[in-house]
Amino acid sequence: MNRDKIIEPEKVLKVAEILKTIGHPIRLQVLEVLEREEPLTVSQILEKINLDVEQSLLSHHLIKMKDKGILSSEKQGMHMYYRVTDRKILSIFDCMSNCSIV
């Protein structure tokens, strides 16, 4: 595969930061869950991921992804609902499933 595009240094740094942020099993599962259904609350996400995780730890991961702009949230009543800010990031799952080293 030959790519003619060169990514600008600023964008490379941003991409690296995003990959570093989502490169955790819990965070990848959160993105997978939100790919199928959104918006969801912390407890709804917790029910759908396949890991034994405390709600406080999941909240920490959600906040980290929100701080990096990967997720957005909206408070409705007493609940905070999360969604993926830019759904194009979800194409990473297609990339991973097509990668021969995975």
Side-chain angles (χ1 to χ4, degrees):
M1 178 186 205
N2 185 13
R3 291 189 328 115
D4 293 329
K5 286 197 229 175
I6 296 175
I7 303 173
E8 306 87 41
E10 301 83 26
K11 194 166 189 174
V12 168
L13 293 173
K14 180 67 175 172
V15 169
E17 188 67 29
I18 289 169
L19 290 173
K20 187 169 84 172
T21 302
I22 66 171
H24 187 284
I26 292 173
R27 294 175 188 176
L28 286 171
Q29 282 204 355
V30 166
L31 288 174
E32 280 188 306
V33 165
L34 291 174
E35 178 180 32
R36 291 188 304 273
E37 181 182 354
E38 64 177 10
L40 294 172
T41 65
V42 177
S43 57
Q44 290 170 324
I45 295 169
L46 189 60
E47 289 173 9
K48 295 175 186 294
I49 62 174
N50 296 319
L51 298 171
D52 185 25
V53 178
E54 296 286 329
Q55 186 166 333
S56 60
L57 179 59
L58 178 58
S59 292
H60 166 78
H61 286 289
L62 292 169
I63 290 167
K64 185 78 165 178
M65 288 194 291
K66 183 181 172 197
D67 288 347
K68 296 295 181 179
I70 297 163
L71 299 181
S72 60
S73 65
E74 178 183 340
K75 189 163 178 117
Q76 294 179 10
M78 296 192 56
H79 299 286
M80 186 69 72
Y81 287 85
Y82 291 89
R83 67 176 65 246
V84 178
T85 303
D86 184 348
R87 294 189 64 81
K88 287 182 242 161
I89 197 169
L90 299 172
S91 64
I92 194 156
F93 295 112
D94 293 332
C95 293
M96 289 187 304
S97 65
N98 292 323
C99 182
S100 63
I101 62 173
V102 177

